[in-house]
PDB file of all heavy atoms in Angstrom:
ATOM      1  N   ALA T   2       0.833  -1.210   0.000  1.00 92.00           N
ATOM      2  CA  ALA T   2       0.000   0.000   0.000  1.00 92.00           C
ATOM      3  C   ALA T   2       0.863   1.254   0.000  1.00 92.00           C
ATOM      4  O   ALA T   2       0.564   2.233  -0.699  1.00 92.00           O
ATOM      5  CB  ALA T   2      -0.931  -0.002   1.213  1.00 92.00           C
ATOM      6  N   GLY T   3       1.957   1.226   0.771  1.00 90.00           N
ATOM      7  CA  GLY T   3       2.867   2.369   0.811  1.00 90.00           C
ATOM      8  C   GLY T   3       3.537   2.628  -0.524  1.00 90.00           C
ATOM      9  O   GLY T   3       3.697   3.779  -0.946  1.00 90.00           O
ATOM     10  N   LEU T   4       3.919   1.550  -1.209  1.00 90.00           N
ATOM     11  CA  LEU T   4       4.545   1.699  -2.524  1.00 90.00           C
ATOM     12  C   LEU T   4       3.556   2.217  -3.566  1.00 90.00           C
ATOM     13  O   LEU T   4       3.915   3.003  -4.448  1.00 90.00           O
ATOM     14  CB  LEU T   4       5.129   0.362  -2.984  1.00 90.00           C
ATOM     15  CG  LEU T   4       6.367  -0.137  -2.221  1.00 90.00           C
ATOM     16  CD1 LEU T   4       6.648  -1.586  -2.577  1.00 90.00           C
ATOM     17  CD2 LEU T   4       7.587   0.729  -2.521  1.00 90.00           C
ATOM     18  N   LEU T   5       2.304   1.785  -3.465  1.00 90.00           N
ATOM     19  CA  LEU T   5       1.303   2.159  -4.461  1.00 90.00           C
ATOM     20  C   LEU T   5       0.772   3.573  -4.251  1.00 90.00           C
ATOM     21  O   LEU T   5       0.632   4.344  -5.202  1.00 90.00           O
ATOM     22  CB  LEU T   5       0.143   1.159  -4.428  1.00 90.00           C
ATOM     23  CG  LEU T   5      -0.940   1.338  -5.489  1.00 90.00           C
ATOM     24  CD1 LEU T   5      -0.362   1.129  -6.897  1.00 90.00           C
ATOM     25  CD2 LEU T   5      -2.086   0.368  -5.247  1.00 90.00           C
ATOM     26  N   THR T   6       0.496   3.934  -3.000  1.00 88.00           N
ATOM     27  CA  THR T   6      -0.138   5.230  -2.718  1.00 88.00           C
ATOM     28  C   THR T   6       0.831   6.290  -2.202  1.00 88.00           C
ATOM     29  O   THR T   6       0.508   7.478  -2.209  1.00 88.00           O
ATOM     30  CB  THR T   6      -1.253   5.050  -1.666  1.00 88.00           C
ATOM     31  OG1 THR T   6      -0.665   4.628  -0.420  1.00 88.00           O
ATOM     32  CG2 THR T   6      -2.266   4.004  -2.123  1.00 88.00           C
ATOM     33  N   GLY T   7       1.990   5.846  -1.739  1.00 84.00           N
ATOM     34  CA  GLY T   7       2.945   6.782  -1.152  1.00 84.00           C
ATOM     35  C   GLY T   7       2.634   7.128   0.296  1.00 84.00           C
ATOM     36  O   GLY T   7       3.340   7.926   0.919  1.00 84.00           O
ATOM     37  N   ASP T   8       1.595   6.537   0.862  1.00 86.00           N
ATOM     38  CA  ASP T   8       1.218   6.790   2.252  1.00 86.00           C
ATOM     39  C   ASP T   8       2.090   5.937   3.174  1.00 86.00           C
ATOM     40  O   ASP T   8       1.932   4.715   3.233  1.00 86.00           O
ATOM     41  CB  ASP T   8      -0.261   6.464   2.463  1.00 86.00           C
ATOM     42  CG  ASP T   8      -0.712   6.730   3.894  1.00 86.00           C
ATOM     43  OD1 ASP T   8       0.032   7.414   4.625  1.00 86.00           O
ATOM     44  OD2 ASP T   8      -1.796   6.250   4.279  1.00 86.00           O
ATOM     45  N   LYS T   9       2.994   6.579   3.888  1.00 89.00           N
ATOM     46  CA  LYS T   9       3.919   5.863   4.754  1.00 89.00           C
ATOM     47  C   LYS T   9       3.610   6.049   6.236  1.00 89.00           C
ATOM     48  O   LYS T   9       4.389   5.659   7.094  1.00 89.00           O
ATOM     49  CB  LYS T   9       5.351   6.329   4.465  1.00 89.00           C
ATOM     50  CG  LYS T   9       5.798   6.031   3.032  1.00 89.00           C
ATOM     51  CD  LYS T   9       7.228   6.456   2.792  1.00 89.00           C
ATOM     52  CE  LYS T   9       7.674   6.117   1.374  1.00 89.00           C
ATOM     53  NZ  LYS T   9       9.068   6.494   1.120  1.00 89.00           N
ATOM     54  N   VAL T  10       2.476   6.663   6.530  1.00 92.00           N
ATOM     55  CA  VAL T  10       2.096   6.928   7.917  1.00 92.00           C
ATOM     56  C   VAL T  10       1.405   5.694   8.512  1.00 92.00           C
ATOM     57  O   VAL T  10       0.534   5.094   7.889  1.00 92.00           O
ATOM     58  CB  VAL T  10       1.162   8.148   8.008  1.00 92.00           C
ATOM     59  CG1 VAL T  10       0.711   8.372   9.453  1.00 92.00           C
ATOM     60  CG2 VAL T  10       1.857   9.401   7.474  1.00 92.00           C
ATOM     61  N   MET T  11       1.812   5.334   9.724  1.00 94.00           N
ATOM     62  CA  MET T  11       1.171   4.251  10.461  1.00 94.00           C
ATOM     63  C   MET T  11       0.877   4.741  11.870  1.00 94.00           C
ATOM     64  O   MET T  11       1.765   5.287  12.534  1.00 94.00           O
ATOM     65  CB  MET T  11       2.066   3.006  10.499  1.00 94.00           C
ATOM     66  CG  MET T  11       1.494   1.858  11.308  1.00 94.00           C
ATOM     67  SD  MET T  11       2.517   0.367  11.274  1.00 94.00           S
ATOM     68  CE  MET T  11       1.953  -0.399   9.760  1.00 94.00           C
ATOM     69  N   SER T  12      -0.346   4.570  12.308  1.00 93.00           N
ATOM     70  CA  SER T  12      -0.708   5.023  13.653  1.00 93.00           C
ATOM     71  C   SER T  12       0.050   4.221  14.710  1.00 93.00           C
ATOM     72  O   SER T  12       0.530   3.107  14.446  1.00 93.00           O
ATOM     73  CB  SER T  12      -2.214   4.883  13.868  1.00 93.00           C
ATOM     74  OG  SER T  12      -2.571   3.511  13.974  1.00 93.00           O
ATOM     75  N   TYR T  13       0.158   4.792  15.889  1.00 92.00           N
ATOM     76  CA  TYR T  13       0.849   4.135  17.006  1.00 92.00           C
ATOM     77  C   TYR T  13       0.235   2.768  17.290  1.00 92.00           C
ATOM     78  O   TYR T  13       0.945   1.763  17.416  1.00 92.00           O
ATOM     79  CB  TYR T  13       0.773   5.031  18.241  1.00 92.00           C
ATOM     80  CG  TYR T  13       1.535   4.536  19.440  1.00 92.00           C
ATOM     81  CD1 TYR T  13       2.854   4.904  19.655  1.00 92.00           C
ATOM     82  CD2 TYR T  13       0.928   3.688  20.382  1.00 92.00           C
ATOM     83  CE1 TYR T  13       3.555   4.443  20.765  1.00 92.00           C
ATOM     84  CE2 TYR T  13       1.618   3.228  21.485  1.00 92.00           C
ATOM     85  CZ  TYR T  13       2.931   3.610  21.675  1.00 92.00           C
ATOM     86  OH  TYR T  13       3.620   3.151  22.776  1.00 92.00           O
ATOM     87  N   ASN T  14      -1.093   2.712  17.353  1.00 94.00           N
ATOM     88  CA  ASN T  14      -1.776   1.450  17.654  1.00 94.00           C
ATOM     89  C   ASN T  14      -1.591   0.421  16.543  1.00 94.00           C
ATOM     90  O   ASN T  14      -1.453  -0.784  16.815  1.00 94.00           O
ATOM     91  CB  ASN T  14      -3.264   1.696  17.884  1.00 94.00           C
ATOM     92  CG  ASN T  14      -3.537   2.422  19.195  1.00 94.00           C
ATOM     93  OD1 ASN T  14      -2.731   2.354  20.126  1.00 94.00           O
ATOM     94  ND2 ASN T  14      -4.659   3.130  19.275  1.00 94.00           N
ATOM     95  N   ALA T  15      -1.595   0.896  15.285  1.00 95.00           N
ATOM     96  CA  ALA T  15      -1.377  -0.021  14.160  1.00 95.00           C
ATOM     97  C   ALA T  15       0.036  -0.586  14.200  1.00 95.00           C
ATOM     98  O   ALA T  15       0.258  -1.766  13.895  1.00 95.00           O
ATOM     99  CB  ALA T  15      -1.615   0.706  12.835  1.00 95.00           C
ATOM    100  N   CYS T  16       0.989   0.240  14.601  1.00 95.00           N
ATOM    101  CA  CYS T  16       2.383  -0.209  14.730  1.00 95.00           C
ATOM    102  C   CYS T  16       2.499  -1.268  15.822  1.00 95.00           C
ATOM    103  O   CYS T  16       3.155  -2.297  15.629  1.00 95.00           O
ATOM    104  CB  CYS T  16       3.277   0.994  15.042  1.00 95.00           C
ATOM    105  SG  CYS T  16       5.042   0.617  15.080  1.00 95.00           S
ATOM    106  N   VAL T  17       1.845  -1.024  16.952  1.00 96.00           N
ATOM    107  CA  VAL T  17       1.837  -2.000  18.048  1.00 96.00           C
ATOM    108  C   VAL T  17       1.234  -3.321  17.587  1.00 96.00           C
ATOM    109  O   VAL T  17       1.775  -4.404  17.846  1.00 96.00           O
ATOM    110  CB  VAL T  17       1.046  -1.452  19.262  1.00 96.00           C
ATOM    111  CG1 VAL T  17       0.902  -2.533  20.331  1.00 96.00           C
ATOM    112  CG2 VAL T  17       1.727  -0.233  19.847  1.00 96.00           C
ATOM    113  N   THR T  18       0.109  -3.232  16.873  1.00 96.00           N
ATOM    114  CA  THR T  18      -0.590  -4.438  16.402  1.00 96.00           C
ATOM    115  C   THR T  18       0.268  -5.215  15.413  1.00 96.00           C
ATOM    116  O   THR T  18       0.385  -6.453  15.507  1.00 96.00           O
ATOM    117  CB  THR T  18      -1.929  -4.054  15.739  1.00 96.00           C
ATOM    118  OG1 THR T  18      -2.721  -3.323  16.677  1.00 96.00           O
ATOM    119  CG2 THR T  18      -2.685  -5.287  15.290  1.00 96.00           C
ATOM    120  N   GLN T  19       0.871  -4.504  14.453  1.00 96.00           N
ATOM    121  CA  GLN T  19       1.722  -5.173  13.464  1.00 96.00           C
ATOM    122  C   GLN T  19       2.894  -5.876  14.136  1.00 96.00           C
ATOM    123  O   GLN T  19       3.198  -7.039  13.837  1.00 96.00           O
ATOM    124  CB  GLN T  19       2.243  -4.163  12.444  1.00 96.00           C
ATOM    125  CG  GLN T  19       3.059  -4.804  11.332  1.00 96.00           C
ATOM    126  CD  GLN T  19       3.705  -3.777  10.413  1.00 96.00           C
ATOM    127  OE1 GLN T  19       4.535  -2.978  10.830  1.00 96.00           O
ATOM    128  NE2 GLN T  19       3.323  -3.807   9.147  1.00 96.00           N
ATOM    129  N   PHE T  20       3.545  -5.179  15.053  1.00 96.00           N
ATOM    130  CA  PHE T  20       4.689  -5.745  15.766  1.00 96.00           C
ATOM    131  C   PHE T  20       4.278  -6.981  16.570  1.00 96.00           C
ATOM    132  O   PHE T  20       4.963  -8.012  16.534  1.00 96.00           O
ATOM    133  CB  PHE T  20       5.291  -4.685  16.700  1.00 96.00           C
ATOM    134  CG  PHE T  20       6.478  -5.162  17.484  1.00 96.00           C
ATOM    135  CD1 PHE T  20       7.733  -5.214  16.915  1.00 96.00           C
ATOM    136  CD2 PHE T  20       6.337  -5.574  18.809  1.00 96.00           C
ATOM    137  CE1 PHE T  20       8.840  -5.660  17.635  1.00 96.00           C
ATOM    138  CE2 PHE T  20       7.423  -6.023  19.533  1.00 96.00           C
ATOM    139  CZ  PHE T  20       8.678  -6.064  18.945  1.00 96.00           C
ATOM    140  N   PHE T  21       3.142  -6.889  17.263  1.00 97.00           N
ATOM    141  CA  PHE T  21       2.681  -7.999  18.097  1.00 97.00           C
ATOM    142  C   PHE T  21       2.447  -9.263  17.274  1.00 97.00           C
ATOM    143  O   PHE T  21       2.951 -10.335  17.617  1.00 97.00           O
ATOM    144  CB  PHE T  21       1.394  -7.603  18.825  1.00 97.00           C
ATOM    145  CG  PHE T  21       0.802  -8.710  19.658  1.00 97.00           C
ATOM    146  CD1 PHE T  21       1.241  -8.930  20.952  1.00 97.00           C
ATOM    147  CD2 PHE T  21      -0.189  -9.539  19.146  1.00 97.00           C
ATOM    148  CE1 PHE T  21       0.709  -9.962  21.724  1.00 97.00           C
ATOM    149  CE2 PHE T  21      -0.724 -10.570  19.904  1.00 97.00           C
ATOM    150  CZ  PHE T  21      -0.269 -10.777  21.201  1.00 97.00           C
ATOM    151  N   PHE T  22       1.685  -9.144  16.186  1.00 97.00           N
ATOM    152  CA  PHE T  22       1.352 -10.335  15.401  1.00 97.00           C
ATOM    153  C   PHE T  22       2.559 -10.866  14.644  1.00 97.00           C
ATOM    154  O   PHE T  22       2.708 -12.089  14.475  1.00 97.00           O
ATOM    155  CB  PHE T  22       0.190 -10.040  14.456  1.00 97.00           C
ATOM    156  CG  PHE T  22      -1.142 -10.048  15.147  1.00 97.00           C
ATOM    157  CD1 PHE T  22      -1.805  -8.866  15.436  1.00 97.00           C
ATOM    158  CD2 PHE T  22      -1.724 -11.231  15.550  1.00 97.00           C
ATOM    159  CE1 PHE T  22      -3.025  -8.867  16.098  1.00 97.00           C
ATOM    160  CE2 PHE T  22      -2.946 -11.257  16.217  1.00 97.00           C
ATOM    161  CZ  PHE T  22      -3.595 -10.071  16.491  1.00 97.00           C
ATOM    162  N   PHE T  23       3.436  -9.979  14.197  1.00 95.00           N
ATOM    163  CA  PHE T  23       4.657 -10.439  13.535  1.00 95.00           C
ATOM    164  C   PHE T  23       5.488 -11.295  14.482  1.00 95.00           C
ATOM    165  O   PHE T  23       5.904 -12.406  14.137  1.00 95.00           O
ATOM    166  CB  PHE T  23       5.475  -9.240  13.046  1.00 95.00           C
ATOM    167  CG  PHE T  23       6.830  -9.611  12.520  1.00 95.00           C
ATOM    168  CD1 PHE T  23       6.961 -10.255  11.298  1.00 95.00           C
ATOM    169  CD2 PHE T  23       7.975  -9.316  13.246  1.00 95.00           C
ATOM    170  CE1 PHE T  23       8.216 -10.616  10.818  1.00 95.00           C
ATOM    171  CE2 PHE T  23       9.231  -9.670  12.770  1.00 95.00           C
ATOM    172  CZ  PHE T  23       9.351 -10.320  11.556  1.00 95.00           C
ATOM    173  N   VAL T  24       5.717 -10.798  15.711  1.00 95.00           N
ATOM    174  CA  VAL T  24       6.511 -11.540  16.697  1.00 95.00           C
ATOM    175  C   VAL T  24       5.812 -12.839  17.090  1.00 95.00           C
ATOM    176  O   VAL T  24       6.447 -13.890  17.224  1.00 95.00           O
ATOM    177  CB  VAL T  24       6.786 -10.670  17.943  1.00 95.00           C
ATOM    178  CG1 VAL T  24       7.484 -11.484  19.035  1.00 95.00           C
ATOM    179  CG2 VAL T  24       7.638  -9.464  17.570  1.00 95.00           C
ATOM    180  N   ALA T  25       4.485 -12.781  17.255  1.00 97.00           N
ATOM    181  CA  ALA T  25       3.732 -13.974  17.663  1.00 97.00           C
ATOM    182  C   ALA T  25       3.882 -15.096  16.637  1.00 97.00           C
ATOM    183  O   ALA T  25       4.182 -16.247  16.991  1.00 97.00           O
ATOM    184  CB  ALA T  25       2.256 -13.624  17.841  1.00 97.00           C
ATOM    185  N   PHE T  26       3.686 -14.776  15.360  1.00 96.00           N
ATOM    186  CA  PHE T  26       3.753 -15.808  14.329  1.00 96.00           C
ATOM    187  C   PHE T  26       5.183 -16.289  14.083  1.00 96.00           C
ATOM    188  O   PHE T  26       5.411 -17.478  13.835  1.00 96.00           O
ATOM    189  CB  PHE T  26       3.132 -15.294  13.032  1.00 96.00           C
ATOM    190  CG  PHE T  26       1.627 -15.245  13.065  1.00 96.00           C
ATOM    191  CD1 PHE T  26       0.938 -14.051  12.869  1.00 96.00           C
ATOM    192  CD2 PHE T  26       0.885 -16.387  13.295  1.00 96.00           C
ATOM    193  CE1 PHE T  26      -0.448 -14.002  12.904  1.00 96.00           C
ATOM    194  CE2 PHE T  26      -0.504 -16.360  13.341  1.00 96.00           C
ATOM    195  CZ  PHE T  26      -1.167 -15.160  13.142  1.00 96.00           C
ATOM    196  N   ILE T  27       6.154 -15.363  14.166  1.00 93.00           N
ATOM    197  CA  ILE T  27       7.552 -15.755  13.985  1.00 93.00           C
ATOM    198  C   ILE T  27       7.981 -16.717  15.093  1.00 93.00           C
ATOM    199  O   ILE T  27       8.660 -17.722  14.844  1.00 93.00           O
ATOM    200  CB  ILE T  27       8.466 -14.505  13.982  1.00 93.00           C
ATOM    201  CG1 ILE T  27       8.391 -13.800  12.619  1.00 93.00           C
ATOM    202  CG2 ILE T  27       9.905 -14.874  14.281  1.00 93.00           C
ATOM    203  CD1 ILE T  27       9.078 -14.535  11.492  1.00 93.00           C
TER     204      ILE T  27
END
């Protein structure tokens, strides 16, 4: 999405969520 739209902003909560699930699955 960032590459297509150029939108590189991620909310604090979205960052927390992404980090949590990435670590959990890894």
Side-chain angles (χ1 to χ4, degrees):
L4 290 168
L5 185 64
T6 65
D8 181 15
K9 298 182 178 181
V10 177
M11 177 177 275
S12 71
Y13 185 91
N14 289 336
C16 185
V17 173
T18 303
Q19 184 187 63
F20 180 80
F21 177 85
F22 282 105
F23 172 73
V24 174
F26 285 121
I27 282 288

